[in-house]
Amino acid sequence: MDRFSWCSGLLDIDETLVIPQRGVRLSDGEDKGKFDSGTLLLTTHRLIWRDQKNHDFCIAVPLSQIVFSEEQAGGIGKSAKIVVHLHPPSPNKEPGPYQTSRYSYVKLSFREHGQIEFNRRLSEELTQKRWERASPSIQMSRGPQTKTGRIKAVGIVGIERKLEEKRKETDKNISEAFEDLSKLMDKAKEMVELSRSIANKIKDKQGDITEDETIKFKSYLLSMGIANPVTRETYGSGTHYHMQLAKQLATMLQAPLEERGGIMSLTEVYCLVNRARGMELLSPEDLVNACKMFESLKLPLRLRIFDSGVMVIEHQSHNEEEMVASALETVSERGSLTSEEFSKIVGMSVLLAKERLLLAENMGHLCRDDSVEGLRFYPNLFLTQS
């Protein structure tokens, strides 16, 4: 922690914000200090931590001071962490909260997830070293040099260099070990494409295949699920997570919506999505927040809330007047219908069937008979006969 110095939190002219993350605790090695809950900002030049309650309490460390970072998995009651290994403090360092520290690393505890994406972006910045391109780099003295110009691997710096070399070697071994797994994943992508093409053939040649075979094969396709679901661990817990989730939902729901006439209740969507996501289940709150972003992201779907409070997902091209005209025609052909009877005819849930009939009633095309036998809808003869 003695590598951190006080700062205003404002970015320099040649500095760019890379990724923010809320709910991060900063610890000096194994010691938990007063930096309990704050916002962590990664820029092209620095790693900035700002207290969420007191915004004037802000500290930063230059990225040039970071040797490498590594993830540390969480557990029951423990948050996932990123361990950031640091170079020795520079002699001309600005004052900060700690004058000395017995640790050469800090721990970042992610209470609201997002550590995977943050560590990936941090590693990218450390590799690209964009702070050197924007302004002259400040060379730090890391120890005496030999005649050949090589720095002697002594003390803490030597240990850290050996750790870095060991990490690179481990990464290389892991890459080789999982080479076959990568090939398997490539095959899996081919299988997904194959399943889509077969599904399209089933749709085109429905009459040549029995209904039982079609249902069986569709269950196989559904069980394959989403190959790479959006999770909080990958994208954090803020707006960015809901934006990515909204994009994935818009892609996934296209085909089911077309099969159901361009509209589905949010309950149906919730069940369908969670079945496809497997173990990465989605909460109702996250689903609603993601669906609310459809229109702002200019996606082809939208969330609609009826007067009764029923929430549905529908295509942007969904024509309300056509749906009402179709409902009026169906009711007129049979004289009268209940919502249950109408749902069987048009092939949708009773809840959506009732909402469509109520919508037609509000527009004056239908009228109701509410009796002990239930709610029944009739054509509005005042409108049709006149």
Side-chain angles (χ1 to χ4, degrees), residues 53-100:
K53 295 181 180 178
N54 182 11
H55 288 183
D56 295 331
F57 194 96
C58 190
I59 58 176
V61 62
L63 294 186
S64 57
Q65 279 276 43
I66 298 176
V67 182
F68 68 96
S69 64
E70 58 182 342
E71 290 184 40
Q72 193 175 84
I76 300 175
K78 291 185 178 181
S79 304
K81 298 176 180 63
I82 293 177
V83 182
V84 180
H85 296 267
L86 304 169
H87 288 298
S90 175
N92 58 348
K93 184 187 81 71
E94 296 291 331
Y98 284 74
Q99 298 303 317
T100 59

Side-chain angles (χ1 to χ4, degrees), residues 71-333:
E71 290 184 40
Q72 193 175 84
I76 300 175
K78 291 185 178 181
S79 304
K81 298 176 180 63
I82 293 177
V83 182
V84 180
H85 296 267
L86 304 169
H87 288 298
S90 175
N92 58 348
K93 184 187 81 71
E94 296 291 331
Y98 284 74
Q99 298 303 317
T100 59
S101 173
R102 58 197 181 100
Y103 297 102
S104 62
Y105 62 92
V106 294
K107 285 189 176 183
L108 308 172
S109 302
F110 289 72
R111 294 178 175 175
E112 297 182 12
H113 306 291
Q115 71 281 355
I116 297 176
E117 177 70 6
F118 196 94
N119 189 48
R120 184 182 68 81
R121 302 294 287 273
L122 175 59
S123 300
E124 287 179 357
E125 292 304 318
L126 294 177
T127 303
Q128 296 174 8
K129 295 184 179 181
R130 287 198 280 176
W131 66 86
E132 292 182 351
R133 304 177 204 165
S135 60
S137 60
I138 300 174
Q139 301 295 332
M140 295 182 300
S141 176
R142 300 185 189 173
Q145 294 186 358
T146 63
K147 292 182 180 180
T148 58
R150 294 186 63 184
I151 301 173
K152 290 183 178 179
V154 294
I156 296 175
V157 178
I159 295 172
E160 288 174 344
R161 188 173 293 111
K162 288 181 180 178
L163 284 172
E164 176 68 5
E165 291 173 357
K166 187 176 180 180
R167 185 182 71 85
K168 289 181 179 178
E169 185 180 354
T170 303
D171 289 345
K172 182 181 178 183
N173 293 335
I174 291 174
S175 299
E176 291 175 356
F178 283 90
E179 189 175 350
D180 291 337
L181 183 60
S182 300
K183 293 179 181 178
L184 181 62
M185 293 300 293
D186 292 337
K187 281 292 181 183
K189 292 178 182 178
E190 293 178 13
M191 290 300 296
V192 171
E193 291 299 326
L194 178 62
S195 66
R196 286 176 181 169
S197 65
I198 296 174
N200 290 331
K201 289 179 181 178
I202 288 177
K203 192 174 182 180
D204 296 337
K205 299 181 180 181
Q206 190 71 35
D208 298 339
I209 304 172
T210 63
E211 187 176 354
D212 290 340
E213 289 174 337
T214 305
I215 294 172
K216 188 176 181 181
F217 188 77
K218 282 187 176 181
S219 69
Y220 290 157
L221 297 183
L222 187 59
S223 65
M224 294 180 74
I226 302 174
N228 187 22
V230 173
T231 62
R232 286 182 179 273
E233 285 73 13
T234 307
Y235 292 98
S237 57
T239 306
H240 183 56
Y241 165 66
H242 290 126
M243 288 173 62
Q244 296 300 321
L245 184 59
K247 292 176 182 178
Q248 190 171 69
L249 289 175
T251 304
M252 176 199 171
L253 294 174
Q254 287 286 350
L257 276 170
E258 289 177 5
E259 292 179 0
R260 292 165 175 81
I263 186 170
M264 289 176 65
S265 68
L266 202 60
T267 307
E268 290 180 275
V269 171
Y270 178 75
C271 296
L272 185 69
V273 169
N274 273 331
R275 183 175 178 184
R277 287 173 67 93
M279 297 297 292
E280 300 292 344
L281 297 180
L282 198 62
S283 69
E285 183 182 5
D286 285 338
L287 178 63
V288 173
N289 289 333
C291 292
K292 286 179 179 178
M293 291 189 168
F294 283 154
E295 293 191 75
S296 61
L297 294 174
K298 297 182 179 180
L299 296 172
L301 309 182
R302 66 186 170 205
L303 173 67
R304 180 178 178 182
I305 305 175
F306 288 105
D307 295 336
S308 61
V310 174
M311 305 173 80
V312 299
I313 304 297
E314 61 182 15
H315 274 295
Q316 289 283 7
S317 59
H318 189 75
N319 193 313
E320 190 174 272
E321 293 182 357
E322 288 182 4
M323 297 299 103
V324 170
S326 174
L328 174 61
E329 182 180 354
T330 305
V331 174
S332 299
E333 287 176 356

Side-chain angles (χ1 to χ4, degrees), residues 358-373:
L358 289 173
L359 184 62
E361 181 193 27
N362 290 335
M363 295 178 69
H365 296 288
L366 298 177
C367 56
R368 69 168 66 191
D369 177 25
D370 199 351
S371 65
V372 292
E373 295 180 354

